[in-house]
Amino acid sequence: MSDLLDVDKVSSKMAETCQSDTVLCGMFVRWFDNAVWAPIVASLITIVLILVVAFVIRNLAHRLITRVVNSAATGGSLTNRFRKNAATDSIDVLLHERRKQRAETMGSVLRHIASIVILGTAALTVLDRLTIPIAPLLTSVGILGVAIGFGAQELVKDFIAGMFMLLEDQYGVGDVIDAGAAVGTVEAVTLRVTRLRDADGRVWYIRNGTITRVGNESQGWSRAYLDVPVPYESDVTTVRVVLEHVAEEIWADPEFRESMIVEHPSVFGVEQLSDSALVFRITAKTLPSRQAEVARELRLRVKTALDAADISMVAGA
């Protein structure tokens, strides 16, 4: 008997809720010619409609998020800034893969957030339609949220920092970065931690929220440079011609031009003056993380060229 009274009570409350809704529920009631059972059926139809609309909005939001994230992750080609060759094509391939991975990660996170917000709102609306009081539930969730916020604020900070790091493409797997606490190659990136391996093989786990600045040696392009100290009495023009010949020589070498160097090397001229030496600088833009190989080759070729021109170098300058 009490169960019947509870059912009648719920039915009456649903009818009252339906009467207060003059848009959807009221329209359905009029369709059933204001029958006694019409408010109950109209409420159930409204609940189904709310769920259907919620899933439709969720799917639309997922499509919109995917489109926006993919568009934001698309950047300009390096071939627009440097002379087109195999090296710049290789950089474009790497950047495209990085953008794809970043888009997939950010899209997954944003789609989960959208699903929670949309379906959570729909669930609360359905509970309200079923005359289940949601005020205590909202109060409990609010108190729980505050408690979790105080207890896990460092975790939340890490997640927020990780999201912005991925969205801005600050670094990715394979990059050589200086994260302050450690310098090394990125082996894994999550929303909470970044895993690095340094030159000694040591693995570092760094919380994203603790990273205040990042130096990325592998993004876009790198620069190899070499300072060449020669005696103070050396002829500046002769030294510059020798270094420019080295720059032309390495740029013409297919091994370096097609796989390492993305722009013609430059000779800056006299970079420093001291009481014992003139310091010239030669630089070359390279593929990410290939600057060390190019610098080693520059040292070898510069040494050979200077010896051939009978120009000595100043030690310790």
Side-chain angles (χ1 to χ4, degrees):
M1 189 67 178
S2 60
D3 293 339
L4 293 176
L5 291 176
D6 291 340
V7 172
D8 292 339
K9 187 181 296 185
V10 172
S11 301
S12 63
K13 288 183 178 180
M14 291 179 64
E16 293 176 1
T17 304
C18 183
Q19 290 174 359
S20 63
D21 181 4
T22 59
V23 180
L24 291 177
C25 204
M27 179 182 65
F28 292 136
V29 169
R30 289 192 295 272
W31 282 1
F32 296 117
D33 296 327
N34 294 316
V36 176
W37 46 266
I40 307 300
V41 177
S43 295
L44 295 177
I45 295 176
T46 303
I47 290 173
V48 173
L49 184 60
I50 290 172
L51 294 176
V52 170
V53 170
F55 279 102
V56 170
I57 294 176
R58 172 179 171 271
N59 291 336
L60 292 176
H62 283 192
R63 292 186 180 182
L64 179 62
I65 288 170
T66 301
R67 180 174 299 179
V68 171
V69 171
N70 288 338
S71 176
T74 303
S77 170
L78 277 185
T79 55
N80 297 329
R81 290 178 282 169
F82 302 121
R83 182 174 177 177
K84 183 176 177 60
N85 57 25
T88 55
D89 290 340
S90 178
I91 294 179
D92 287 337
V93 171
L94 293 174
L95 291 179
H96 175 73
E97 186 63 26
R98 284 171 60 95
R99 297 187 198 108
K100 181 180 178 181
Q101 294 176 359
R102 180 181 62 179
E104 291 175 352
T105 303
M106 289 305 304
S108 175
V109 173
L110 293 177
R111 281 192 293 269
H112 278 88
I113 294 175
S115 297
I116 292 173
V117 172
I118 295 171
L119 297 181
T121 303
L124 292 176
T125 305
V126 169
L127 291 176
D128 184 58
R129 287 284 178 174
L130 294 174
T131 70
I132 298 176
I134 62 174
L137 178 62
L138 293 176
T139 303
S140 301
V141 171
I143 296 173
L144 181 62
V146 172
I148 293 177
F150 278 110
Q153 52 184 326
E154 294 296 332
L155 181 62
V156 174
K157 180 181 178 181
D158 294 340
F159 271 88
I160 293 176
M163 285 187 60
F164 277 103
M165 179 273 297
L166 290 174
L167 184 62
E168 297 169 359
D169 193 25
Q170 297 175 7
Y171 54 85
V173 175
D175 287 356
V176 179
I177 68 170
D178 178 356
V183 179
T185 303
V186 179
E187 290 192 338
V189 178
T190 67
L191 288 179
R192 195 180 71 86
V193 298
T194 295
R195 190 176 78 216
L196 300 180
R197 186 178 295 274
D198 63 18
D200 297 328
R202 187 182 297 107
V203 177
W204 295 81
Y205 293 88
I206 307 173
R207 288 179 24 231
N208 294 327
T210 63
I211 301 176
T212 57
R213 60 108 174 107
V214 176
N216 194 331
E217 299 180 8
S218 309
Q219 199 167 48
W221 52 270
S222 298
R223 186 189 298 274
Y225 72 90
L226 175 64
D227 287 338
V228 183
V230 297
Y232 199 82
E233 61 274 7
S234 299
D235 183 69
V236 173
T237 303
T238 301
V239 175
R240 186 180 181 93
V241 169
V242 170
L243 295 181
E244 287 178 348
H245 177 73
V246 172
E248 290 287 346
E249 188 180 64
I250 196 171
W251 177 246
D253 191 335
E255 180 182 353
F256 290 90
R257 182 172 179 175
E258 299 300 327
S259 62
M260 296 186 191
I261 301 177
V262 300
E263 191 176 72
H264 192 289
S266 301
V267 178
F268 287 172
V270 180
E271 185 72 15
Q272 298 178 25
L273 288 173
S274 70
D275 57 350
S276 61
L278 299 174
V279 180
F280 288 77
R281 174 167 292 183
I282 179 171
T283 69
K285 289 183 178 179
T286 71
L287 285 174
S289 302
R290 305 301 295 272
Q291 68 271 26
E293 299 175 56
V294 175
R296 283 193 291 268
E297 184 66 21
L298 282 175
R299 294 188 193 100
L300 177 61
R301 296 187 183 225
V302 166
K303 175 64 169 61
T304 303
L306 291 178
D307 288 345
D310 198 24
I311 300 175
S312 61
M313 298 180 64
V314 177

